[in-house]
């Protein structure tokens, strides 16, 4: 119908080879015939039979990236009929979230903006689409778009502005605005809770640590899902000091905590009927006369001891206490998210997160949620022999595998010591949580990876 209204202009573009429909291909038309819009951007989706969640999200983000380099009042996307495997609600949610994602950048502190989010974002249903389903998808997209934007903003904030206390204050604001229950544990509370591993990491900084606990009660009864996020608001490596090149983007080491906070906001705004406990462990890792040292032995919350052989392997230390705390709150299933290891980036690259687990059935559900959200996870093995890598001569375990091999897995094997029998999935998001450079899909900086996976998981829980 659009082509007919435009006097078959789209058909002629295809016939001349000026447009092919390949994935991410864009073809701009100015003052197009037969429609009210001043500009029309055609975006390729590839073959209909191969259309999937990630492709829809990416296409919308690519279109928004191209259109929002100049001020724009209204931006609308004509939804594609992607076929029976992608329902109208899903298509609308993915397209809407992608548009939101592509309309924003990392330049929070630039005096002159480089990207201009439109005042209105709209979705236009294809003929015959279920209007109610499209409207539900649009509402989901708006909620998820705001949540992903929150996660990206937190990751992109400079570490002089975002540190454990200011992150906790932001979490309090989110809780107050959305009706979440919020408890913030300070140093005294953490000591009373026996979180000695977390406190040891925080010792080197003048900024005191915090543990933020958010609870969402969407049902009166039923099981509780636990989410734990690593929140190292700046990671210098401690006494195992990073180089400048390694340290320059370490404001992003709190992306796991940002993801948990953003997903909790989305649940509360969407009023998903589920019970979720979100825990964010917040520290700075800096060197000083008070910093933890190589050879220190830490007594974690659950009574196990950890020999510190690398102070730059700090994320697993704070997660150890946070996971043990969350298990003690009687959650029924667990997911943690952490920018934990460079080894996971070496294994999987920048676009895919590793997933490691003590329960394959639970991991499969987490992976299915990621696929539905258009985000990429890949399972890594957790066979028992990997635990040999973290055995210590002087303590129950050491905080590093001691070699270049299987670094993401040895880190996960240490975390496994703190979850007991609770079904648990560990997402190492070190690669996809941060983008070093701009591309056609998103700007450099925080990506908000994992927010939509968590929300999708919660929608279908238990």
């Amino acid at each position: 119908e659009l082509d007919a209204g435009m006097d078959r202009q789209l058909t002629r573009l295809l016939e001349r080879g000026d447009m092919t429909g390949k994935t991410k291909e864009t073809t701009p038309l100015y003052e197009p015939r037969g429609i009210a819009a001043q500009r029309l951007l055609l975006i390729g989706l590839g073959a209909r039979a191969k259309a999937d969640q990630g492709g829809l999200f990416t296409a919308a983000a690519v279109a928004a990236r191209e259109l929002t380099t100049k001020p724009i009042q209204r931006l609308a996307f004509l939804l594609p009929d992607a076929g029976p495997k992608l329902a109208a609600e899903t298509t609308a949610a993915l397209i809407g979230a992608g548009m939101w994602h592509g309309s924003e950048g990392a330049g929070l502190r630039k005096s002159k903006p480089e990207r201009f989010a439109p005042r209105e974002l709209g979705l236009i249903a294809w003929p015959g689409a279920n209007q109610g389903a499209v409207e539900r998808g649009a509402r989901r997209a708006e909620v998820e778009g705001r949540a992903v934007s929150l996660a990206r903003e937190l990751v992109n904030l400079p570490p002089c502005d975002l540190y454990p206390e200011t992150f906790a204050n932001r979490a309090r604001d989110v809780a107050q605005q959305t009706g979440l229950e919020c408890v913030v544990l300070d140093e005294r509370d953490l000591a009373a809770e026996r979180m000695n591993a977390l406190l040891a990491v925080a010792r080197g900084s003048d900024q005191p640590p915090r543990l933020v606990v958010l609870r969402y009660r969407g049902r009166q009864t039923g099981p509780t899902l636990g989410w734990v996020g690593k929140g190292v608001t700046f990671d210098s490596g401690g006494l195992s000091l990073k180089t400048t090149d390694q340290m320059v983007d370490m404001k992003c080491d709190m992306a796991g905590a940002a993801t948990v906070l953003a997903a909790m906001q989305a649940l509360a705004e969407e009023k998903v009927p589920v019970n979720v406990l979100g825990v964010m462990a917040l520290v700075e890792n800096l060197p000083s006369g008070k910093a933890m040292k190589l050879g220190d032995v830490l007594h974690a919350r659950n009574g196990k001891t950890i020999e510190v052989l690398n102070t730059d392997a700090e994320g697993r230390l704070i997660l150890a206490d946070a996971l043990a705390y969350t298990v003690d709150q009687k959650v029924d299933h667990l997911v943690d998210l952490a920018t934990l290891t460079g080894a996971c980036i070496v294994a999987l690259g920048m676009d895919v997160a590793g997933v490691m687990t003590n329960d394959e059935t639970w991991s499969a559900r987490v992976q299915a949620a990621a696929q539905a959200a258009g985000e990429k996870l890949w399972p890594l093995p957790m066979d028992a022999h990997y635990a040999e890598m973290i055995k210590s001569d002087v303590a129950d375990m050491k905080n590093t595998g001691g070699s270049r091999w299987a670094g993401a897995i040895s880190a996960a094997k240490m975390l496994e010591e703190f979850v007991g029998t609770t079904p648990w999935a560990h997402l190492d998001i070190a690669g996809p949580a941060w983008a070093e450079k701009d591309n056609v899909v998103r700007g450099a900086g925080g990506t908000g990876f994992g927010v939509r996976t968590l929300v999708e998981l919660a929608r279908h829980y238990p």
Side-chain angles (χ1 to χ4, degrees):
E1 291 187 15
L2 177 64
D3 189 32
M6 297 176 63
D7 191 25
R8 300 186 71 249
Q9 188 176 4
L10 305 184
T11 298
R12 289 195 295 276
L13 286 170
L14 286 169
E15 291 173 345
R16 292 198 304 263
D18 293 331
M19 180 178 69
T20 68
K22 291 181 179 179
T23 304
K24 300 180 187 177
E25 176 192 70
T26 58
T27 307
L29 298 178
Y30 300 96
E31 303 294 340
R33 302 173 186 172
I35 61 175
Q38 296 177 351
R39 287 185 288 167
L40 177 66
L41 182 69
L42 306 172
I43 175 74
L45 288 171
R48 183 189 300 268
K50 295 182 179 180
D52 61 11
Q53 291 91 331
L56 291 179
F57 178 87
T58 295
V62 168
R65 289 277 298 166
E66 184 158 333
L67 292 170
T68 55
T69 56
K70 297 177 181 179
I72 186 170
Q73 293 296 315
R74 288 183 294 275
L75 176 59
F77 200 110
L78 176 59
L79 298 175
D81 182 356
K85 68 177 182 179
L86 288 169
E89 180 177 341
T90 301
T91 298
L94 290 164
I95 292 289
M99 289 174 66
W100 197 299
H101 189 81
S103 297
E104 297 185 342
L108 300 175
R109 294 293 186 265
K110 288 183 178 290
S111 57
K112 294 183 179 179
E114 296 176 343
R115 190 157 299 282
F116 302 87
R119 292 186 179 181
E120 296 180 23
L121 284 173
L123 302 176
I124 303 173
W126 66 88
N130 183 311
Q131 189 68 32
V134 171
E135 290 176 356
R136 290 193 299 273
R139 287 194 294 272
R140 278 176 48 186
E142 183 177 1
V143 168
E144 290 182 13
R146 279 198 299 268
V148 172
S149 294
L150 171 61
R152 294 174 75 186
E153 177 195 350
L154 290 170
V155 173
N156 288 331
L157 282 170
C160 57
D161 292 339
L162 190 77
Y163 42 90
E165 188 174 9
T166 55
F167 188 114
N169 290 341
R170 186 67 177 272
R172 282 193 183 98
D173 291 342
V174 169
Q176 186 173 17
Q177 292 161 9
T178 60
L180 293 165
E181 299 174 26
C182 179
V183 175
V184 177
L185 279 61
D186 62 17
E187 310 96 294
R188 291 184 180 180
D189 300 320
L190 294 168
E193 292 288 349
R194 310 182 311 284
M195 294 196 188
N196 300 309
L198 187 154
L199 287 167
V201 175
R203 274 205 315 260
S205 173
D206 288 339
Q207 297 290 353
R210 294 289 185 267
L211 189 86
V212 174
V213 183
L214 297 179
R215 188 178 288 275
Y216 171 70
R217 302 180 193 268
R219 303 177 61 171
Q220 291 185 346
T221 59
T224 297
L225 175 58
W227 293 340
V228 179
K230 172 189 171 184
V232 181
T233 58
F234 187 77
D235 181 19
S236 72
L239 294 181
S240 303
L241 195 65
K242 295 178 183 287
T243 66
T244 296
D245 288 344
Q246 294 169 331
M247 201 188 305
V248 68
D249 59 4
M250 280 298 102
K251 67 180 183 179
C252 80
D253 213 17
M254 36 59 68
T259 301
V260 170
L261 175 58
M264 294 294 291
Q265 172 184 285
L267 292 186
E269 290 188 349
E270 193 178 326
K271 295 180 172 56
V272 180
V274 66
N275 297 323
V276 179
L277 185 74
V279 176
M280 289 139 273
L282 307 170
V283 301
E284 277 189 345
N285 185 28
L286 294 178
S288 76
K290 299 181 295 181
M292 66 177 175
K293 301 173 287 295
L294 277 68
D296 282 354
V297 174
L298 312 178
H299 293 256
R301 174 185 171 84
N302 68 350
K304 294 187 178 183
T305 56
I306 309 166
E307 181 186 13
V308 177
L309 294 182
N310 187 335
T311 65
D312 196 22
E314 84 299 330
R316 64 202 74 179
L317 297 176
I318 69 170
L319 285 173
D321 278 341
L323 286 167
Y325 174 88
T326 308
V327 168
D328 287 344
Q329 309 312 304
K330 308 301 182 185
V331 299
D332 296 275
H333 292 83
L334 261 176
V335 178
D336 81 74
L337 303 95
T339 47
L340 204 64
T341 66
C344 202
I345 301 176
V346 172
L348 300 176
M350 299 299 296
D351 299 318
V352 182
V355 55
M356 288 143 275
T357 188
N358 64 354
D359 187 302
E360 294 297 339
T361 300
W362 175 237
S363 178
R365 291 185 61 184
V366 176
Q367 292 175 63
Q371 183 177 10
E375 298 184 316
K376 296 181 180 179
L377 302 181
W378 192 259
L380 296 176
M382 285 283 281
D383 299 72
H385 72 271
Y386 287 112
E388 297 292 322
M389 299 177 69
I390 60 168
K391 282 191 173 180
S392 166
D393 293 333
V394 300
D396 295 326
M397 70 199 79
K398 56 188 180 182
N399 77 325
T400 174
S403 76
R404 296 171 56 198
W405 318 124
I409 298 170
S410 63
K413 292 303 286 186
M414 189 191 132
L415 297 183
E416 189 177 20
E417 296 289 328
F418 298 90
V419 299
T421 59
T422 304
W424 155 78
H426 160 60
L427 307 188
D428 192 331
I429 62 173
W434 178 261
E436 293 183 352
K437 299 178 181 179
D438 288 357
N439 66 19
V440 296
V441 178
R442 44 95 189 109
T447 66
F449 180 92
V451 173
R452 291 181 300 113
T453 291
L454 290 185
V455 175
E456 182 67 20
L457 181 65
R459 285 196 187 102
H460 301 284
Y461 186 83

